Amino acid sequence: MTSTTPEHAGRRTAAGAVSELSARSTTKRVLVVGAGATGGYFGARLAQAGRDVTFLVRPGRAAALRTTGLRLSGPDGDEAVIPRLVTAQELADPYDVILLAVKAEALDTALTDVTPAVGESSVIIPFLNGIDHLKALTERFPGSVLGGVVRAVAHLAADGAVIFGGPTAVMEIGELTGEVSDRVRAAAGVLASAGFAFSVSDDIRTAMWHKWVFISTVSVITCLMTGTIGEVAAVPGGPDFAAAVLEETTAVAAGAKHPLSAAQVQGLRTMMTQEGSPFAPSMYRDMTDQRPTEVEHVLASLSSAATDLDIPTPLVDLAVLRLRVHNRKPVTPS
């Protein structure tokens, strides 16, 4: 799960990069790799907006979606999209825009599966947590990869429906170099004005780091304390613990030259010490549901970056140990 919160507001975006193109119709082909919470939500919104969208999914997920459609459930009720689907064995032709929306453990398989869809002019926009995936992607598909961040309160229910909440969902893309290129503008023409907030960033690496700080902080808080943000905040010492975790994660970002502003840090601190908040990230839900977590890609990677920068992160390190032990336990059958 990703989250739309005040601390993400005010990031630098490329003025005018979206406004003209977003109003144009387009026939560019979009491939969404994965139809879970992230891919399912944003892909459905793009399809509803009339974009040419195909989902690359596993055979089992394809069979379920062909039977029930891609179902979304939110504050305003339930809806369904009849998706265009393809499996890896059926994929043959290149797509213009490829949205990579899988969990870290599925990345290697996804890179192999999506290869036939990557043409000379294709752009790949990953929406994974952390930043480790950029190295694997740029090595496999040099010159084709953009940076991307999405924020939406969403998760995949046991019956395959995408459950979403919150006031809005956000997508942000950009060149890893910071350039506002023609291909970014072209991608913006496909992705903007599709039922969610959209922007082009001239510093997408920093945007990705700030998302990494957010998801790491909430994951450490909730997984170590085995409770939601509100449950941790409600007990003596809980707010101080949350603030200490935030101090560690923001120190790593600052050391890596992607610092959060004072306003962003304060926004995060307020959100993460809010009594009554039901918020918990996907890593916490995976842990409590006895599923494997993304600990290596998200928390262990941040811990490694901290070590390289000689920044102590004892609480992050403790959460890494906790979740590594969890990941060695047998998976509960669904």
Side-chain angles (χ1 to χ4, degrees):
M1 174 171 64
T2 52
S3 174
T4 303
T5 50
E7 70 278 6
H8 297 109
R11 246 187 226 125
R12 294 186 295 162
T13 56
V18 179
S19 57
E20 181 182 351
L21 281 166
S22 64
R24 300 180 186 175
S25 62
T26 178
T27 56
K28 289 186 178 295
R29 302 174 72 213
V30 179
L31 182 68
V32 180
V33 184
T38 297
Y41 177 82
F42 286 97
R45 291 291 181 244
L46 287 165
Q48 289 172 327
R51 309 304 196 264
D52 184 349
V53 177
T54 299
F55 292 86
L56 173 60
V57 292
R58 301 285 180 84
R61 181 68 166 150
L65 290 171
R66 289 188 177 110
T67 300
T68 65
L70 178 53
R71 292 168 295 134
L72 283 73
S73 180
D76 296 327
D78 300 336
E79 51 193 312
V81 172
I82 305 303
R84 184 181 295 115
L85 305 172
V86 65
T87 63
Q89 292 73 23
E90 300 165 336
L91 195 60
D93 300 321
Y95 285 74
D96 299 293
V97 178
I98 300 169
L99 305 182
L100 189 61
V102 298
K103 286 200 170 185
E105 63 267 21
L107 178 61
D108 289 345
T109 299
L111 294 183
T112 299
D113 289 349
V114 80
T115 296
V118 183
E120 290 185 4
S121 61
S122 301
V123 293
I124 304 170
I125 310 174
F127 296 126
L128 285 75
N129 291 320
I131 61 171
D132 281 357
H133 57 279
L134 290 180
K135 183 175 185 293
L137 276 164
T138 54
E139 287 179 351
R140 185 70 172 264
F141 305 110
S144 298
V145 182
L146 303 180
V149 171
V150 289
R151 300 182 290 275
V153 180
H155 68 276
L156 194 66
D159 65 357
V162 175
I163 311 298
F164 67 95
T168 187
V170 177
M171 179 185 292
E172 193 173 357
I173 70 168
E175 289 281 1
L176 297 173
T177 60
E179 175 191 5
V180 182
S181 62
D182 288 342
R183 68 176 184 172
V184 165
R185 292 188 177 94
V190 179
L191 302 173
S193 301
F196 49 83
F198 177 85
S199 63
V200 170
S201 173
D202 61 5
D203 192 4
I204 195 65
R205 287 184 183 272
T206 290
M208 294 173 69
W209 261 92
H210 290 182
K211 167 72 179 301
W212 192 11
V213 164
F214 171 76
I215 201 67
S216 296
T217 306
V218 293
S219 295
V220 172
I221 293 169
T222 57
C223 291
L224 278 184
M225 295 297 104
T226 321
T228 65
I229 288 294
E231 289 169 343
V232 176
V235 300
D240 290 340
F241 167 75
V245 175
L246 180 61
E247 185 174 346
E248 289 187 6
T249 57
T250 54
V252 181
K257 303 192 185 312
H258 298 286
L260 282 75
S261 69
Q264 288 174 315
V265 174
Q266 182 55 50
L268 281 170
R269 185 179 293 112
T270 298
M271 180 265 180
M272 293 177 187
T273 57
Q274 182 181 356
E275 288 190 36
S277 170
F279 180 74
S282 59
M283 198 175 301
Y284 170 78
R285 284 199 308 275
D286 287 341
M287 183 188 76
T288 56
D289 290 343
Q290 297 302 312
R291 295 191 298 262
T293 70
E294 290 186 297
V295 59
E296 300 300 330
H297 192 72
V298 179
L299 298 184
S301 179
L302 189 71
S303 175
S304 178
T307 299
D308 291 343
L309 293 165
D310 198 25
I311 296 172
T313 54
L315 296 174
V316 174
D317 298 345
L318 185 60
V320 170
L321 180 61
R322 164 77 175 89
L323 291 170
R324 280 176 170 167
V325 172
H326 163 82
N327 279 7
R328 290 177 62 89
K329 295 180 180 179
V331 177
T332 300
S334 56

